Amino acid sequence: MASEGTPLKMLFKSLNNTILVKLKDGSEILGTLERCDPNMNMILLEAKEIDENNGKPLTNYGMVFIRGSNVLFVVFDPSQVVYE
């Protein structure tokens, strides 16, 4: 994978795109990135909690705020995620 810049630059480039956010508690949230800031705080629209084992939606949340300190990692192209 070619480097496209710092993680923050990649996050800001992903505004209005669907991303997958893995949180430190193990949950995975899929949604459209509406806003983010330099602390990686994010607002996702049409957010859903995804089962980390099979990728199926568990809960629909609508709009969520994710505090940057709770983020483990972000997937910018969720269609590339393979669930076993």
Side-chain angles (χ1 to χ4, degrees):
M1 180 172 137
S3 176
E4 295 181 20
T6 66
L8 279 177
K9 285 182 184 176
M10 291 176 66
L11 189 62
F12 282 107
K13 286 181 182 178
S14 295
L15 286 171
N16 300 314
N17 291 317
T18 300
I19 62 170
L20 176 70
V21 182
K22 175 85 170 192
L23 302 179
K24 289 182 180 177
D25 70 358
S27 57
E28 296 183 2
I29 309 295
L30 180 71
T32 303
L33 181 63
E34 180 179 275
R35 292 190 179 213
C36 60
D37 67 14
N39 294 316
M40 289 186 72
N41 296 321
M42 299 176 235
I43 296 176
L44 300 182
L45 300 177
E46 300 173 14
K48 301 173 200 160
E49 184 174 1
I50 303 296
D51 186 325
E52 62 183 299
N53 297 316
N54 59 23
K56 294 184 180 176
L58 295 173
T59 310
N60 289 320
Y61 291 122
M63 185 186 335
V64 296
F65 174 82
I66 299 175
R67 188 173 170 92
S69 61
N70 290 321
V71 174
L72 189 60
F73 63 82
V74 177
V75 178
F76 296 108
D77 187 1
S79 65
Q80 300 296 316
V81 175
V82 177
Y83 294 95
E84 298 178 354

